[in-house]
Amino acid sequence: MAPTNDHPDHPGERATEDPVKLIGVRDTPLSVDEVLRAVGDDAAGGIALFAGTVRNHDGGADVDALGYSCHPSAEAEMRRIAEKVVAEYPVRALAAVHRVGDLRVGDLAVVVGVSCPHRGEAFDACRKLIDDIKHEVPIWKHQKFSDGTDEWVGA
C-alpha cells in the first residue's frame, strides 16, 4: 500500500522557515554526531545522512593520503546549493560540512544531513545535496598514490 499524507496542511509537512542549520568548510576533523544533532526536528519522519570518507584506492591505484583545498567562495557555494535543495524539497533541517587540509585513509571528508517529514524526501534531498556539492563547489582533491604519482580532482 502506498503511503498517504492524510494531513497535507499540517505545519510539520512543510519546510521550516530557516532550515539551513549548519554549513561549513573546516580544517579540523568532522563529526557525524554534530550533523545529526543539527538536522534533528520533531516533525521529521526521516533523517538521511551521508558521510564521505577517504578510501585507499582510486582508478585502480592505491591511495596513501590526500589533501583538500578550496576557493574562498566554497562555503558560500555550499549555502547556495543548500538553499536550492530546501526550495525543491520539504526540508525541516539541513547541514553540510566539508574538510580541507591533509587527510588520511578513513578520515571523514564530507558529512551532509537532511531531515524531512518522510524518508523518501529525506533520501532524495540528501542525494541532491551531496551530488551538487561534489559537482559545483570549488573544492579540489590532491590524491597521493603509493607509486609516487599524484592527481588533482575537483569541481
Side-chain angles (χ1 to χ4, degrees):
M1 181 154 100
T4 61
N5 181 357
D6 294 333
H7 306 284
D9 294 328
H10 188 280
E13 293 293 324
R14 297 188 294 269
T16 58
E17 182 81 23
D18 186 19
V20 179
K21 304 299 182 188
L22 172 65
I23 298 290
V25 176
R26 301 180 177 164
D27 61 0
T28 56
L30 304 180
S31 165
V32 171
D33 289 338
E34 177 190 26
V35 171
L36 181 60
R37 281 191 306 272
V39 299
D41 185 285
D42 289 345
I47 295 174
L49 297 171
F50 173 80
T53 58
V54 177
R55 64 177 176 261
N56 68 358
H57 68 282
D58 189 39
D62 292 334
V63 172
D64 286 341
L66 58 78
Y68 282 100
S69 58
C70 69
H71 188 273
S73 68
E75 197 166 294
E77 285 298 303
M78 285 176 65
R79 181 165 295 281
R80 180 188 63 77
I81 289 165
E83 290 170 358
K84 187 170 65 168
V85 170
V86 302
E88 189 173 334
Y89 297 93
V91 173
R92 301 294 304 173
L94 177 150
V97 289
H98 203 296
R99 179 101 183 258
V100 293
D102 294 328
L103 284 78
R104 295 183 176 158
V105 171
D107 285 348
L108 290 172
V110 61
V111 181
V112 302
V114 177
S115 62
C116 291
H118 304 280
R119 72 176 177 272
E121 300 158 342
F123 278 125
D124 293 345
C126 189
R127 177 178 283 275
K128 174 80 170 152
L129 178 61
I130 187 58
D131 286 351
D132 287 358
I133 286 171
K134 293 286 290 176
H135 291 111
E136 298 178 31
V137 176
I139 295 176
W140 305 283
K141 176 171 57 174
H142 185 206
Q143 299 187 113
K144 298 166 187 157
F145 299 106
S146 297
D147 65 4
T149 61
D150 65 344
E151 172 186 51
W152 283 93
V153 181

